[in-house]
Each structure stands twice: as structure tokens, then as C-alpha cells.
């Protein structure tokens, strides 16, 4: 890998990786209505596929982790190349604006959907209380804190400290820090979503800082690429162990502390994959084209808007789809969520104001050229 040219221009491979990680959330939320260990807005009366749900659980251990790793890496790129002010302006437009827009309408919409499902009465107090829940917007809250509240000097300091470690010890350090934050969230469990988000944000900030440090210390990438600890076969083995762990937990309905063992295995896998996926997708031989650009640009809008759709259709579809078709049930729901949200994306894109509210790039109108000039 030619590290001096690392991310020298827009990299469509890494853009697609980031978009794919966001869009996988649609599949995850479409599957949450299957019977399992976690409660959801609607639990379908059907037989879950333990192998399928174990696969999704394994994927969930690294999806957002790798996303925050990429976010930190791209943040360092913008800060170091264009300056802190341009970076802040970008985060205000692309992260904070869509967060505020979605937060204004999503909680009351979910309150109405829950009323339809459960038949609970609609009240003003209930409508106001709905704003105490972030739903799937939590990651934008965390990303806003990391980008706009935490001083860049903190990440620069972390990058200097992490530069001292070889990759194996770097991974050990990062895994330890992330798991400490994972255990801290149990100390505030039940204190409300916003309080519980504090240790969650701290945990994901470890990944964000690691990605930030990777770009700052990009001269070390050449040695990282050839390291045995991020060998593809070792990662595949760790993924298999994690998947089997989740399957055993689901199959035997383990409710003790042992159910967190595959989560711990996933924390190792997440850091291995974070580095490996960056190195693989950065070199992916794909060129920018309208289709790929559309996927990248629409990913956040689709993620923001799919949530009420898949929850509603998990309820509506459960009455007519046979109970043994759990995977088909999830895939159809996922397709509906993506299709509806994509349609909304195209409608939003047509409006200049809506584009600004949802963080899309606003196309500027080209000035008319006088006829005489054209002649």
C-alpha cells in the first residue's frame, strides 16, 4: 500500500463500506420483531431461525463499531487537510441537522404507531414523554458529541499515544478500553436513554479515536497490512467462533452472564475487522458512477426513515405470512423499508429546504449564460 497517497482523493470503496454498514441497520431492525431475548415494539408470533438470528447478532457486534472507526478516520482527514472550522461546518450540516430534523417527527410518530399496535390511549403527556426516547437516532447523538463537543486535541493526543504501540498491543489496548466502557453501561442501566448513552458514547469513542489515529499515523499502515493479527483467516475463525457463541446462547436460552461471552469475542472481532476492512475496501477497484454515488448519498436518509416503516410492517405482515417463514418475513420487511425510504430520498432531494434539513448537498443553480455570450 502506498501510504503517502492513502485517501488522497474520494475513495468510493470506503464510501460504499460506510453506506453498507448504515444500511445493514434496516435488516437488523426488520429482524428485531422475531422472538428472542430482547423486547421490541412488536414481537411476531413465529418460529425464529436461530442460525439466522445468531448471524445477525454476530454482525451487530462490529457494524456500528466499524462505522465509528471510519468516521474517526474521515474526521482526521478533513481536519488535517481543510481545518477544524470546515470540519465543524460539515458536521453541523451533515450530522446535527438531520438529527434535529428526524428527532422532531420520529418520537411522536413512533408514539402513534405504538398506539395502533397496543391500543393505548393518546395523551398530551404521552406525546411529550415520547421525546425521552431516541430510538435509532442515538448514533447521530453520539457522533455529534464526538465531532462537535470533544476537542480535537483529545484525538491528537490519543493518536500520539497509540502510535507507540505495535499493532498487537494496540489492539489489546483498544479492546480493553472498549470493554471497560461496555461494563460501565450496566451501572447506569434503567436511568433513561440519555444517561445510558454516556457509556455507550464513550465506548464508541474508542473506535472513533482509533480511526482518527490510523489516519494521523498512516505511515504505519504498511506494517499493519502484513500483520498476522488481522490475517483474513484469523478473522474468519474469530467470526465463526462469535457466530457459534450466539447460536449456543439462543439455542439453549442462556440468561446468565455467560450470554456475554460471544459479545466479548465480538469485541475482538470488531477491531480486527475495522483495520482489515479499511485496508481491503481502500484498494477496491471500483470507480465512481451515478449508481454507486446514489447508494452512498441516500444511505443516511434511508436509515433515518426506514425505522417506523419496518416496525409497522412487522405488525401488518405477521397476520398473513406463515409462521415458519421467518427469514422470508424479515427479508420482505427489509425490502419494503428500503424501497419506501428510497422513494422518500428522491422526494427530499427534489426540495432545496428538505435537502438542507436532512443534510444532503444542495445543488446550486447555474447562472444563465447570455445568448450573446453563447454565440
Amino acid at each position: 500500500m502506498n501510504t503517502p497517497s492513502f485517501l488522497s482523493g474520494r475513495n468510493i470503496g470506503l464510501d460504499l463500506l460506510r453506506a453498507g454498514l448504515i444500511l445493514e441497520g434496516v435488516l437488523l431492525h426488520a429482524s428485531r420483531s422475531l422472538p428472542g431475548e430482547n423486547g421490541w415494539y412488536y414481537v411476531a408470533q413465529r418460529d425464529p431461525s436461530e442460525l439466522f438470528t445468531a448471524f445477525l447478532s454476530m454482525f451487530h457486534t462490529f457494524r456500528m463499531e466499524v462505522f465509528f472507526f471510519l468516521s474517526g478516520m474521515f474526521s482526521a482527514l478533513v481536519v488535517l487537510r481543510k481545518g477544524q472550522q470546515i470540519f465543524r461546518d460539515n458536521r453541523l450540516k451533515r450530522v446535527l441537522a438531520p438529527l434535529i430534523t428526524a428527532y422532531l417527527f420520529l418520537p411522536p410518530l413512533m408514539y402513534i404507531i405504538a398506539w395502533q399496535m397496543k391500543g393505548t390511549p393518546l395523551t398530551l403527556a404521552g406525546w411529550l414523554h415520547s421525546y425521552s426516547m431516541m430510538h435509532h437516532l442515538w448514533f447521530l447523538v453520539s457522533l455529534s458529541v464526538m465531532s462537535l463537543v470533544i476537542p480535537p486535541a483529545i484525538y491528537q493526543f490519543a493518536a500520539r499515544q497509540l502510535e507507540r504501540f505495535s499493532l498487537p498491543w494496540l489492539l489489546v489496548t483498544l479492546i480493553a478500553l472498549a470493554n471497560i466502557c461496555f461494563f460501565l453501561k450496566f451501572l447506569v442501566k434503567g436511568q433513561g436513554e440519555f444517561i445510558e448513552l454516556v457509556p455507550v458514547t464513550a465506548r464508541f469513542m474508542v473506535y472513533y479515536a482509533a480511526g482518527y489515529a490510523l489516519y494521523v499515523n498512516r505511515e504505519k499502515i504498511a506494517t499493519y497490512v502484513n500483520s498476522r493479527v488481522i490475517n483474513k483467516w484469523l478473522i474468519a475463525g474469530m467470526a465463526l467462533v462469535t457466530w457459534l457463541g450466539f447460536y449456543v446462547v439462543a439455542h439453549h436460552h442462556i440468561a446468565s452472564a455467560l450470554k456475554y461471552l460471544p459479545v466479548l469475542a465480538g469485541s475482538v472481532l470488531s477491531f480486527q475487522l475495522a483495520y482489515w476492512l479499511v485496508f481491503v475496501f481502500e484498494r477496491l477497484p471500483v470507480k465512481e458512477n451515478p449508481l454507486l454515488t446514489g447508494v452512498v448519498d441516500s444511505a443516511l436518509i434511508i436509515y433515518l426513515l426506514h425505522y417506523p416503516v419496518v416496525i409497522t410492517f412487522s405488525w401488518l405482515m405477521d397476520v398473513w405470512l406463515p409462521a415458519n417463514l421467518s427469514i422470508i418475513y424479515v427479508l420482505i420487511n427489509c425490502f419494503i423499508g428500503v424501497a419506501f425510504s428510497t422513494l422518500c430520498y428522491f422526494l427530499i432531494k427534489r426540495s432545496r429546504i428538505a435537502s438542507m434539513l436532512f443534510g444532503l448537498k444542495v445543488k446550486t443553480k447555474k447562472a444563465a449564460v447570455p445568448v450573446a455570450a453563447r454565440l
Side-chain angles (χ1 to χ4, degrees), residues 15-64:
D15 282 342
L16 281 174
L17 173 60
R18 185 166 50 176
L21 293 169
I22 295 176
L23 292 176
E24 196 277 334
V26 183
L27 178 61
L28 175 69
H29 292 142
S31 69
R32 288 288 300 274
S33 58
L34 294 177
E37 302 299 325
N38 298 319
W40 193 235
Y41 296 92
Y42 178 78
V43 179
Q45 302 303 310
R46 55 185 60 250
D47 301 322
S49 170
E50 293 172 347
L51 292 174
F52 178 65
T53 54
F55 172 78
L56 290 178
S57 296
M58 182 269 293
F59 204 100
H60 189 52
T61 62
F62 66 82
R63 180 179 68 91
M64 294 309 299

Side-chain angles (χ1 to χ4, degrees), residues 144-165:
S144 297
V145 171
M146 296 175 197
S147 304
L148 300 171
V149 178
I150 305 299
I154 298 295
Y155 302 119
Q156 293 286 352
F157 174 79
R160 290 194 298 270
Q161 303 309 308
L162 296 177
E163 185 183 16
R164 303 176 181 180
F165 296 97

Side-chain angles (χ1 to χ4, degrees), residues 188-200:
V188 296
K189 193 172 184 178
Q191 300 298 314
E193 286 194 21
F194 288 94
I195 299 298
E196 293 173 354
L197 187 59
V198 173
V200 172

Side-chain angles (χ1 to χ4, degrees), residues 39-349:
W40 193 235
Y41 296 92
Y42 178 78
V43 179
Q45 302 303 310
R46 55 185 60 250
D47 301 322
S49 170
E50 293 172 347
L51 292 174
F52 178 65
T53 54
F55 172 78
L56 290 178
S57 296
M58 182 269 293
F59 204 100
H60 189 52
T61 62
F62 66 82
R63 180 179 68 91
M64 294 309 299
E65 286 78 355
V66 177
F67 171 80
F68 277 103
F69 186 92
L70 286 170
S71 297
M73 186 178 70
F74 283 117
S75 295
L77 182 153
V78 176
V79 169
L80 295 180
R81 288 188 181 178
K82 300 182 179 181
Q84 180 63 23
Q85 187 58 49
I86 291 180
F87 171 72
R88 288 181 62 85
D89 292 343
N90 178 270
R91 296 298 87 184
L92 288 171
K93 295 176 182 177
R94 303 297 298 276
V95 177
L96 191 60
L99 167 61
I100 294 174
T101 301
Y103 183 70
L104 287 176
F105 75 86
L106 184 70
L109 177 59
M110 293 308 304
Y111 178 57
I112 294 174
I113 291 173
W115 162 67
Q116 285 287 338
M117 290 180 178
K118 302 175 183 178
T120 53
L122 292 175
T123 64
L124 177 60
W127 174 70
L128 294 174
H129 180 71
S130 69
Y131 284 102
S132 66
M133 291 178 283
M134 291 175 289
H135 303 283
H136 66 314
L137 303 179
W138 66 267
F139 91 97
L140 286 178
V141 177
S142 295
L143 189 57
S144 297
V145 171
M146 296 175 197
S147 304
L148 300 171
V149 178
I150 305 299
I154 298 295
Y155 302 119
Q156 293 286 352
F157 174 79
R160 290 194 298 270
Q161 303 309 308
L162 296 177
E163 185 183 16
R164 303 176 181 180
F165 296 97
S166 63
L167 185 59
W169 282 110
L170 174 62
L171 292 177
V172 169
T173 302
L174 295 172
I175 291 167
L177 290 173
N179 281 318
I180 288 173
C181 296
F182 175 77
F183 287 115
L184 287 177
K185 77 175 187 177
F186 293 99
L187 299 179
V188 296
K189 193 172 184 178
Q191 300 298 314
E193 286 194 21
F194 288 94
I195 299 298
E196 293 173 354
L197 187 59
V198 173
V200 172
T201 300
R203 178 176 179 272
F204 283 113
M205 197 166 74
V206 175
Y207 291 87
Y208 185 92
Y212 198 103
L214 177 64
Y215 183 78
V216 173
N217 304 323
R218 55 194 180 279
E219 71 280 354
K220 304 189 70 174
I221 290 178
T223 59
Y224 289 172
V225 169
N226 299 317
S227 176
R228 294 181 179 180
V229 295
I230 55 171
N231 176 274
K232 62 182 179 180
W233 298 111
L234 179 61
I235 293 174
M238 183 58 68
L240 179 61
V241 168
T242 305
W243 174 61
L244 289 175
F246 281 114
Y247 172 75
V248 170
V249 169
H251 184 71
H252 294 284
H253 304 285
I254 298 175
S256 65
L258 292 176
K259 70 180 182 180
Y260 294 111
L261 287 179
V263 177
L264 294 177
S267 69
V268 178
L269 174 65
S270 64
F271 277 109
Q272 290 177 305
L273 271 173
Y275 287 91
W276 185 77
L277 287 173
V278 165
F279 301 150
V280 170
F281 276 81
E282 195 270 342
R283 293 175 291 177
L284 206 63
V286 291
K287 295 182 179 180
E288 190 171 357
N289 60 67
L291 177 60
L292 296 181
T293 302
V295 171
V296 172
D297 292 344
S298 64
L300 181 59
I301 302 298
I302 294 174
Y303 183 79
L304 291 177
L305 300 183
H306 82 278
Y307 191 79
V309 178
V310 297
I311 290 174
T312 300
F313 276 90
S314 68
W315 171 53
L316 295 175
M317 288 197 306
D318 196 31
V319 299
W320 57 267
L321 199 65
N324 62 332
L325 299 179
S326 59
I327 297 180
I328 300 299
Y329 166 78
V330 170
L331 294 180
I332 292 176
N333 196 11
C334 180
F335 174 79
I336 293 173
V338 171
F340 180 85
S341 304
T342 302
L343 176 61
C344 292
Y345 162 73
F346 285 114
L347 293 176
I348 291 171
K349 195 175 179 181

